[in-house]
Amino acid sequence: MSELAIKGGEPVRTKPFPRWPVFDEREGDAIREVLHSGVWGIGGTKKKEFEEKFAAYQDARYGVAVTNGTAALETALRAAGISTGDEVIMPAYTFMATATAVLHVGGLPVFADIEPDTYTLDPEKVEAAITGKTRAVLPVHIGGRPANMDEMVRIAQKNNLLIIEDACQAWGAEWRNGKVGAIGDLGTFSFQSSKNITSGEGGIVVTNDRKLYELCWSYHNCGRVMNGEWYRHDVPGTNCRMTEFQAAILLVQLTRLEEHTKTRNENATYLSEKMSKIDGVEPLKQDPRVTNHAYHLFTFRYNAGGFDGLPKDEFVEALRAEGIPCSPGYRPLYKEAFMLNLANDRSLSREYGERADYSRVQLPVTEKACYEEAVWFFQNMLLGTREDMNDILDAVLKIKENVNTLTF
Ligand SMILES: Cc1ncc(COP(=O)(O)O)c(C=O)c1O
């Protein structure tokens, strides 16, 4: 029996996992090219080239590159015409920006529960959350796994709703061989530092709809009109344009995405197969309709029953001590102070009454995932070798075999 690292024993691993971001001299050359061109923003070619290439990569007709994923969500929501009085259905198992973007345009996030075996929006719960004020559904392809887009499209068509996909973690992800982002009306991506392709910060909105594209373009560019006069502003837009430097880096990053995604998938499949044989750690469901998983996160369901009742947070601490980076993940969004404080927001209360009081929300699957089950590994770990994956499995097994040495 080997002593657990959290008790002072030798960790399974002391080596780091592959470093992120991956880059080489090509990023350096691209930045220098922009630098010496003297055109760092408007008037350059890189942003446009990236918009075209990334949109095409996502099977979308149009792209508008912006400063970050949060701005992408807000741009998409504004183009969709979401504003005061409108409800938008979304999961509470997501990053806070999914909800704040809706709040920033004056809409109300309405949380629906997730499926227990995929952690993406549960279509039945979406249908149950629809009211006369619902204008859009906002599925999140969390961790890079597409939500059930067949059902999202069916529900949206039946109820005359828009679909805005939060694909901020899902570059290249496919639902039944179609890339996410423009399966719905609009889709948003992030290129923030941790993301599978990155320029430090960055984002893009994609769509197949010309009118929505022009509205996004206008909103992100001070309300200007495409091909219009410089000082003509038809909508109260903002400035959230991506710079030429960001676009130049992303054009290089994009060339590695396919190969990286393949490696992540191979390692994730291996980990899933091995973990599914260990009682107490269950990978999320493999679904043949997910024809490409972006694996921003590798998420599994921890079951304390397989570890003598060891609570999730203590399992996470023990795993980290063994040299395996991991996270217990999100807390239910509606439990965050910024959401609970909305009950005191006078304009929201006037518009939405007690629906703006999130202390009333209870989503059992989300809460179980957050508090008891979900554990994440990060995308850079999946760029490692088979030996790296075996270290992860060895560390899980070591905790399982020695859990009786822990007091909790
Ligand atoms: C699901 C999700 N939505 C939105 C965002 C916001 O993106 P950004 O951090 O680029 O503003 C993120 C990124 O952190 C995200 O993971």
Side-chain angles (χ1 to χ4, degrees), residues 1-3 401-402 404-405:
M1 187 163 84
S2 49
E3 195 174 7
E401 281 160 17
N402 297 283
N404 60 347
T405 65

Side-chain angles (χ1 to χ4, degrees), residues 362-383:
Q362 252 194 328
L363 302 175
V365 182
T366 300
E367 291 187 20
K368 190 159 193 218
C370 293
Y371 299 137
E372 294 172 32
E373 284 184 350
V375 181
W376 298 346
F377 297 136
F378 309 106
Q379 56 90 3
N380 65 304
M381 298 163 75
L382 297 176
L383 293 177

Side-chain angles (χ1 to χ4, degrees), residues 40-41 46-47 66-67 241-248:
W40 300 348
K46 300 287 184 193
K47 175 174 178 281
V66 295
T67 44
R241 300 181 300 259
M242 178 180 278
T243 70
E244 287 290 286
F245 290 108
Q246 288 167 294

